[in-house]
Amino acid sequence: QLQLVESGGGLVQPGGSLRLSCAAPAFTLGLYAIGWFRQVPGKEREGVACTNDKNSPTYYLVSKEGRFNISRDNAKGTVYLQMNTLKPEDTGIYYCAARSSYFCPSTMSFDRFDYWGQGTQVNVSS
């Protein structure tokens, strides 16, 4: 069973940047499309971005603003979410998830992903 571990969260001031990481066993990660979700207080978990096995990204919701970038390094077994120009509204728990497919789905739904990390907390505050 695939194990995913998120890291890189923390406290950052508005306008700052963070890079989140999602770690999996090296070379195993290449078998899966990987998505980033977030849980914002008062809202349902929402899809942020997805990357397929060839590192082609698909962006959803807030990531369409161009502030977030997703990428992967299959050799290292790591997927990244670079977050720039952060806003207080970005505060929440960020999760990575793996789908048993090479390809990202057309819609980011929970049931389209099979494995989940435990999440990393991001707090954007002055």
Side-chain angles (χ1 to χ4, degrees), residues 20 36-40 43-50 58-70 81-94 108 122 124:
L20 306 183
W36 282 97
F37 292 77
R38 72 180 185 184
Q39 184 79 56
V40 175
K43 294 185 177 181
E44 296 181 351
R45 191 174 301 181
E46 60 185 356
V48 176
C50 181
T58 300
Y59 295 103
Y60 307 85
L61 300 175
V62 68
S63 62
K64 293 181 179 179
E65 299 174 17
R67 297 186 296 115
F68 294 1
N69 292 294
I70 189 170
L81 184 67
Q82 178 68 45
M83 305 189 295
N84 302 312
T85 319
L86 285 164
K87 305 174 182 179
E89 304 92 270
D90 296 320
T91 293
I93 304 173
Y94 285 72
M108 283 286 268
V122 173
V124 185

Side-chain angles (χ1 to χ4, degrees), residues 20-124:
L20 306 183
S21 297
C22 175
F27 300 104
T28 301
L29 187 63
L31 301 174
Y32 304 91
I34 303 294
W36 282 97
F37 292 77
R38 72 180 185 184
Q39 184 79 56
V40 175
K43 294 185 177 181
E44 296 181 351
R45 191 174 301 181
E46 60 185 356
V48 176
C50 181
T51 179
N52 69 10
D53 65 316
K54 303 302 181 183
N55 199 26
S56 296
T58 300
Y59 295 103
Y60 307 85
L61 300 175
V62 68
S63 62
K64 293 181 179 179
E65 299 174 17
R67 297 186 296 115
F68 294 1
N69 292 294
I70 189 170
S71 62
R72 70 194 293 159
D73 187 331
N74 288 334
K76 293 182 178 180
T78 306
V79 177
Y80 304 98
L81 184 67
Q82 178 68 45
M83 305 189 295
N84 302 312
T85 319
L86 285 164
K87 305 174 182 179
E89 304 92 270
D90 296 320
T91 293
I93 304 173
Y94 285 72
Y95 301 87
C96 66
R99 186 183 184 218
S100 297
S101 171
Y102 293 145
F103 311 111
C104 292
S106 57
T107 58
M108 283 286 268
S109 301
F110 300 146
D111 59 2
R112 294 179 181 267
F113 290 82
D114 304 295
Y115 306 99
W116 293 81
Q118 296 185 21
T120 184
Q121 179 72 45
V122 173
N123 291 103
V124 185

